[in-house]
Amino acid sequence: MPSLYVVATPIGNLEDISLRALRVLRNVKLIAAEDTRKTRKLLNAYEIKTPLTSYYEHNKLSRQDYLLHFLQAEGDVALVSEAGTPGISDPGYDLIAAAFAHRISIVPIPGPSAVITAIAVSGLPADRFTFLGFLPRLSRNRKKLLQSVVTDPSTLVILEAPHRLHPTLQDLVAVLGDRKISVCRELTKIHEEVFRGQLSQVAAHFVEPRGEFTLVIAGYIAVAEKVPDFAAIEARMRRLSRQGMPAREVVASLHQETGIPRRKLYQLWLKTV
């Protein structure tokens, strides 16, 4: 039975390819690549001669039938993205879903991932995260999506292009507030950089953004509601009562100071005095 191999490739440094991935890329009949130029550099570096075909966002519908037919008639195909693991924020998902529908074996070849790499070095909680991928281009749509995760306690992960970094940062601060963030730029490449700080500090650091960005943002932290010190309130009521202050004034004063409902304070007064 032919298989579609979903092969993770380096996100920058070509040495991050696994031995298993190299073996698969050598042995399959065809490699379907999101960016044939980048994939060709990888293949040339390891002297792999397997035929290469393009499969990207703008030809995925027409090329999908060809690849499915090739799998059934010719043999194994390897799917690779521009970088990292196929199927995450790239057209690989569609081919994987189509292969599954045609009962074609799908074999994962794990490896590099910008998302996992960024979380690992972010210094933020990695036990639970919400991946938002690339945010919508329009500000109103970005804000709408961000509003849906305002109270999500999970660490948030976003991919962003350099020319959209500043507008996205403005919307992040406006909707989420000034949270902790780890900005990972050009991971595993020559100009790799990880900036850790507050959302409000990022724009000043990346004045002229360049390269690919992965943003790792702290999740929502609920502010614990302060529990009133009823013992102290009762003691104060007794003291004010001895001073001759009437219940109405005591309740009004404590309500303004503590925010406790007047009815609750009056019940406490009757119990205490």
Side-chain angles (χ1 to χ4, degrees):
M1 175 185 293
S3 296
L4 174 66
Y5 289 89
V6 181
V7 183
T9 54
I11 58 178
N13 193 317
L14 295 184
E15 294 180 355
D16 290 336
I17 191 76
S18 72
L19 294 175
R20 186 184 179 202
L22 291 174
R23 175 175 59 78
V24 168
L25 292 175
R26 285 193 179 95
N27 293 342
V28 294
K29 300 293 185 180
L30 181 68
I31 299 172
E34 183 181 13
D35 187 328
T36 54
R37 292 170 299 176
K38 287 194 174 182
T39 301
R40 180 64 67 190
K41 290 180 182 179
L42 174 66
L43 300 183
N44 289 341
Y46 291 97
E47 299 181 348
I48 296 174
K49 308 298 183 182
T50 306
L52 194 64
T53 189
S54 66
Y55 176 79
Y56 58 96
E57 186 64 33
H58 299 295
N59 78 346
K60 64 181 182 181
L61 296 180
S62 60
R63 194 54 59 93
Q64 183 174 289
D65 289 340
Y66 164 73
L67 291 171
L68 291 174
H69 176 75
F70 188 98
L71 277 159
Q72 294 168 331
E74 303 292 335
D76 297 337
V77 172
L79 171 66
V80 299
S81 65
E82 180 181 345
T85 302
I88 302 175
S89 292
D90 67 40
Y93 161 78
D94 298 277
L95 181 59
I96 294 168
F100 179 80
H102 284 75
R103 300 182 181 279
I104 293 170
S105 173
I106 302 169
V107 182
I109 309 297
S113 165
V115 174
I116 301 302
T117 303
I119 293 173
V121 299
S122 69
L124 293 171
D127 55 331
R128 224 171 75 180
F129 65 89
T130 298
F131 177 60
L132 299 178
F134 287 96
L135 298 183
R137 294 180 180 275
L138 296 179
S139 178
R140 65 175 180 272
N141 294 337
R142 278 199 300 270
K143 288 181 177 178
K144 184 178 180 180
L145 175 59
L146 292 172
Q147 193 64 47
S148 69
V149 295
V150 165
T151 58
D152 187 344
S154 306
T155 297
L156 304 177
V157 185
I158 295 170
L159 304 178
E160 196 51 277
H163 64 281
R164 287 170 44 186
L165 180 64
H166 285 177
T168 293
L169 289 171
Q170 292 175 359
D171 290 342
L172 285 168
V173 173
V175 178
L176 302 181
D178 195 15
R179 299 187 185 183
K180 290 182 179 179
I181 184 172
S182 174
V183 182
C184 302
R185 184 177 77 88
E186 295 287 270
L187 286 171
T188 78
K189 300 176 183 177
I190 295 176
H191 301 292
E192 175 182 277
E193 180 180 8
V194 179
F195 171 83
R196 300 177 184 87
Q198 299 294 129
L199 271 167
S200 60
Q201 299 172 327
V202 178
H205 182 82
F206 295 101
V207 178
E208 296 181 359
R210 295 180 181 178
E212 299 173 343
F213 288 84
T214 305
L215 313 180
V216 186
I217 305 164
Y220 174 74
I221 300 176
V223 179
E225 184 178 348
K226 187 176 180 181
V227 179
D229 186 347
F230 288 109
I233 292 173
E234 290 174 357
R236 189 169 175 187
M237 283 181 170
R238 284 191 290 268
R239 185 171 65 254
L240 293 174
S241 175
R242 288 195 297 268
Q243 293 173 2
M245 184 178 290
R248 178 173 56 82
E249 293 183 18
V250 173
V251 168
S253 176
L254 289 174
H255 168 69
Q256 185 175 5
E257 182 180 323
T258 66
I260 299 173
R262 292 174 185 269
R263 177 178 294 182
K264 176 68 176 177
L265 289 169
Y266 188 66
Q267 291 173 347
L268 202 60
W269 171 271
L270 293 177
K271 171 187 171 184
T272 304
V273 179

